[in-house]
Amino acid sequence: MTETVHVPLGDRAYDIRIGPGLLEQAGAFLGPLLARPRVAVITDENVAQLHLEALRDGLEKGGISLVFLKLPAGEATKSWGFLEQTVEWLLAQKVERNDVVVALGGGVIGDLVGFAAAILRRGVRFVQVPTSLLAQVDSSVGGKTGINAPQGKNLIGAFHQPSLVLADTDVLSTLRRRDFLAGYGEVIKYGLLGDAIFFQWLEEHGSRISGGDAAARISAVKRSVEMKADIVVRDETEQGDRALLNLGHTFCHALEAATGYSGRLLHGEGVAIGCALAFELSARLGLCSQEDPGRVRTHLRNMRMKADLSDIEGDLPESEKLLELMAQDKKVVDGQLRFVLARGIGQAFVTGDVPASDVRDLLDDALAARRA
Ligand code: GLY
């Protein structure tokens, strides 16, 4: 039942394996990559408790031993201090140029460990074992690695492709419902940006996916990573098309900053709200039909997800401040806000040509609806 998506990037090509029970088979998947039967695993305290033993057993079955480092869970770990700790630990473990480092965890661990692997001895190979839905469908694929700076998220990093991604769909059943649904925000994003048939399939099967249906989850993860892989192969270092993956993200980043990167709004929740706002903006600009934003919101609401600014608890700043936060986004080019808009469901495009007044009006209306 294991599915494979190949990412054909020449000498950086790799496979993404998707399916149940992959942790238990880790030895068989990693064995062919190893020059010696030993790997260094970096994980976080929560994930270690849930999944480290299964990974250890799976590796041991293939005759592979592991050393491991547990870091604190949470976004604060994506920082200089923990990068230093990780790199120094890898050196202390005598990880050599031909060894493989394993990232076992969600997006924070994947990004941090990928960056540590990129700079250790000028680059060692690493394997992503993503344990959140968001990491399985987005951050573990495509080679973006890095840490946060005081000036903003993900401002320090490198492109460094993994050598293998093992997306064990069994681990998804250990996620809190809220985290699972936040990851599902990124799944919806793929349908909205480039595959209307996939979005329609999600509308029909979303409740099976959230309800734990294994086959539906595998299909959703597979289609998402196929789409991501396709875009990454066209534009590995985000000179063009890769920016499509940022559908909903300009709004999301402003909302995350406005809520202090706190538990008030998870990244995937911000992406879902951002996608709905991007479609609303597209409809107001006459780019897509008036029905499309409603369809996006209906699916989010059917999935019991946040769909609008009114679903964010606590105070939000005025539209002017939100616009300022958008202008700090690292995707701003020459001071021009860049948006991913859509000509319909599955037809997204990137533009720098959006009048700030239209964005302000949209936000004013959304903030007013929140107060009503
Ligand atoms: N998460 C967006 C990208 O990988 O480009």
Side-chain angles (χ1 to χ4, degrees):
M1 208 172 165
T2 305
E3 299 277 359
T4 302
V5 175
H6 184 63
V7 189
L9 281 171
D11 59 0
R12 295 175 316 292
Y14 55 98
D15 284 336
I16 305 159
R17 308 280 192 169
I18 304 149
L22 298 193
L23 291 181
E24 286 82 3
Q25 302 168 59
F29 288 116
L30 266 83
L33 297 176
L34 304 183
R36 56 174 172 162
R38 177 181 185 262
V39 290
V41 177
I42 294 130
T43 187
D44 74 34
E45 281 153 6
N46 296 345
V47 172
Q49 210 172 356
L50 292 165
H51 305 302
L52 188 58
E53 276 319 301
L55 180 66
R56 186 203 298 274
D57 289 351
L59 289 169
E60 275 174 1
K61 269 189 239 156
I64 301 164
S65 63
L66 68 78
V67 287
F68 67 88
L69 172 68
K70 274 193 270 185
L71 298 174
E75 191 70 31
T77 299
K78 253 175 77 169
S79 61
W80 283 120
F82 287 105
L83 178 70
E84 184 180 5
Q85 184 183 339
T86 303
V87 170
E88 290 194 353
W89 178 80
L90 289 167
L91 290 172
Q93 295 303 317
K94 303 199 172 14
V95 171
E96 296 173 3
R97 193 75 213 280
N98 286 328
D99 285 329
V100 168
V101 173
V102 177
L104 172 68
V108 167
I109 288 293
D111 286 5
L112 171 84
V113 175
F115 189 36
I119 58 177
L120 184 78
R121 300 185 189 278
R122 297 201 178 88
V124 300
R125 291 168 303 152
F126 82 115
V127 169
Q128 290 269 20
V129 186
T131 56
S132 67
L133 180 59
L134 189 136
Q136 292 196 353
V137 298
D138 182 29
S139 57
S140 68
V141 175
K144 278 190 181 174
T145 71
I147 56 172
N148 301 327
Q151 291 82 352
K153 280 178 80 174
N154 298 322
L155 293 181
I156 303 154
F159 286 99
H160 186 51
Q161 299 292 341
S163 299
L164 172 72
V165 180
L166 281 187
D168 184 335
T169 47
D170 281 344
V171 307
L172 300 176
S173 60
T174 62
L175 296 175
R176 287 187 313 165
R177 188 173 175 79
R178 186 175 175 202
D179 289 316
F180 182 88
L181 288 176
Y184 185 75
E186 297 276 2
V187 175
I188 293 174
K189 179 194 79 178
Y190 290 107
L192 294 176
L193 76 86
D195 187 346
I197 293 172
F198 181 47
F199 184 72
Q200 191 183 337
W201 183 84
L202 292 171
E203 288 176 313
E204 285 158 19
H205 299 281
S207 58
R208 278 176 62 208
I209 296 167
S210 63
D213 183 297
R217 286 185 169 187
I218 293 167
S219 298
V221 173
K222 183 178 180 214
R223 183 65 195 130
S224 300
V225 299
E226 271 172 1
M227 292 189 66
K228 176 141 192 189
D230 218 48
I231 291 174
V232 167
V233 167
R234 290 208 301 271
D235 177 21
E236 186 178 359
T237 56
E238 199 165 314
Q239 309 301 315
D241 269 9
R242 186 163 180 163
L244 291 171
L245 295 170
N246 300 324
L247 176 61
H249 282 63
T250 306
F251 289 110
C252 169
H253 289 151
L255 294 171
E256 280 185 291
T259 50
Y261 301 99
S262 66
R264 281 174 64 199
L265 186 73
L266 303 179
H267 176 72
E269 294 172 335
V271 170
I273 295 174
C275 284
L277 289 171
F279 268 81
E280 181 69 41
L281 184 58
S282 302
R284 286 180 179 212
L285 294 171
L287 293 163
C288 70
S289 86
Q290 300 294 326
E291 282 76 49
D292 286 341
R295 200 173 147 196
V296 177
R297 288 210 173 92
T298 300
H299 183 49
L300 295 177
R301 297 219 186 282
N302 287 344
M303 294 297 289
R304 311 234 181 297
M305 292 166 69
K306 291 184 171 55
D308 216 333
L309 299 194
S310 44
D311 298 320
I312 302 173
E313 280 172 21
D315 292 338
L316 282 180
E318 293 304 320
S319 56
E320 206 52 49
K321 176 72 188 163
L322 289 172
L323 274 166
E324 257 173 51
L325 292 170
M326 284 182 192
Q328 281 163 22
D329 195 284
K330 68 178 179 302
K331 270 108 192 161
V332 169
V333 179
D334 283 341
Q336 183 80 25
L337 273 179
R338 289 178 74 71
F339 279 93
V340 184
L341 297 180
R343 296 194 176 86
I345 290 187
Q347 297 174 60
F349 65 100
V350 184
T351 176
D353 194 18
V354 180
S357 55
D358 287 298
V359 184
R360 191 179 299 110
D361 290 350
L362 172 78
L363 291 170
D364 280 337
D365 292 347
L367 289 165
R370 206 172 178 261
R371 287 188 288 264

